[in-house]
Amino acid sequence: MGAGHGGVLGAAYLAGDSPVHRMEPHLKLVAVLGFALVVVATPVDAAWAWAAYGGYLALVLGAAAVAGVGPGRLGRGLAIEVPFVLFALLLPFVAQGPRVEVAGIAVSESGLVAAGGLLAKATLSVLAAVVLAATTEPRALLQGLERLRLPSLLVQILMFMIRYADVVGGELKRMRVARESRGFEGRNLSALRVLGPAAGSLFVRSYERGERVHLAMLSRGYTGRMPGGPAAAVPVQAWLTALVLPLGAAAVLASGLMFG
């Protein structure tokens, strides 16, 4: 699946030829997962925690620079973090413990520390995921998950989700255009009488399309697994390159635990 065949889900991919782009997808998945685990394992109440977060940020920004992922792309990717931000903003007000004043408002000291740690960890993990999405096509990500022994059925479900998200989205758009061409304006609760049946119709159409696709696959010999050739061996050097990010983060964490 090329950059132009991923639709909405593939729009996150930035075509390029950087070392990060050329890296095998399962290696990048391992690197990002390892990095996130190290970040999450950092104790939020340690005096050196923010110094460690700074080290993690330098590592992930270095990876983004090598991959050619600019600040704008990284910033747009952080939009997914909004729920974490909202939750973190509530913590200082609902957590128990000693209170401190911030801008004239009394908040929980432990909640404030927890909120800062949550935001830092979420931001760092999302940034690493943004670099992964920007340098790996959706189909390659699925191949990487398959190589990491993710259940084949789950990989196929994700594959069809990527393939048909735009098909269902196009159907939804055509239904919206048809409603508006008949004078529909969804500005009050009475619009639910129209939108409810429309949602049901979209579900039925999607279900029927899935049935037709499944029957077509069975008629072509589908047995529950997608055909694929043998996976090529990955050299040790490629593993070492991929593990620079999580091992660098682990070194930062170990330094904090030993000397912090």
Side-chain angles (χ1 to χ4, degrees):
M1 181 184 301
H5 296 77
V8 173
L9 296 174
Y13 175 71
L14 299 176
D17 192 37
S18 71
V20 182
H21 283 82
R22 295 193 298 269
M23 194 178 296
E24 290 289 336
H26 66 289
L27 300 187
K28 288 186 275 190
L29 285 166
V30 170
V32 170
L33 177 60
F35 175 80
L37 289 176
V38 174
V39 170
V40 171
T42 304
V44 296
D45 54 352
W48 47 269
W50 285 97
Y53 296 147
Y56 302 149
L57 181 62
L59 287 170
V60 73
L61 290 181
V66 172
V69 181
R73 178 67 184 85
L74 293 175
R76 291 193 300 273
L78 288 177
I80 197 174
E81 193 186 6
V82 171
F84 293 98
V85 175
L86 297 177
F87 179 73
L89 291 177
L90 291 176
L91 278 178
F93 299 97
V94 300
Q96 303 298 319
R99 317 295 286 189
V100 295
E101 281 198 6
V102 177
I105 302 175
V107 295
S108 169
E109 184 176 2
S110 61
L112 196 62
V113 172
L118 175 63
L119 280 177
K121 293 180 179 184
T123 300
L124 291 165
S125 300
V126 170
L127 285 175
V130 170
V131 176
L132 172 66
T135 59
T136 315
E137 297 178 356
R139 185 170 181 176
L141 278 175
L142 295 181
Q143 293 171 347
L145 291 172
E146 194 169 27
R147 290 200 64 173
L148 293 175
R149 299 293 188 267
L150 195 73
S152 177
L153 182 60
L154 181 56
V155 173
Q156 292 181 51
I157 291 173
L158 293 173
M159 178 184 67
F160 285 112
M161 181 191 73
I162 291 174
R163 172 63 182 85
Y164 286 100
D166 284 324
V167 175
V168 176
E171 188 71 27
L172 182 62
K173 182 178 180 180
R174 288 190 293 272
M175 293 172 66
R176 178 178 60 81
V177 171
R179 290 196 305 270
E180 293 177 353
S181 67
R182 291 167 174 80
F184 173 78
E185 295 182 356
R187 297 181 178 178
N188 48 52
L189 291 178
S190 63
L192 294 177
R193 291 181 300 178
V194 176
L195 296 178
S201 176
L202 179 64
F203 174 80
V204 171
R205 293 184 185 185
S206 301
Y207 181 83
E208 290 177 345
R209 184 186 295 273
E211 286 290 306
R212 293 194 298 271
V213 171
H214 183 243
L215 291 175
M217 292 171 61
L218 291 177
S219 68
R220 289 164 174 79
Y222 174 71
T223 59
R225 295 187 63 87
M226 300 299 289
V234 178
V236 175
Q237 182 61 40
W239 275 105
L240 294 176
T241 302
L243 293 177
V244 167
L245 182 65
L247 290 181
V252 172
L253 176 60
S255 298
L257 292 173
M258 293 176 60
F259 308 109

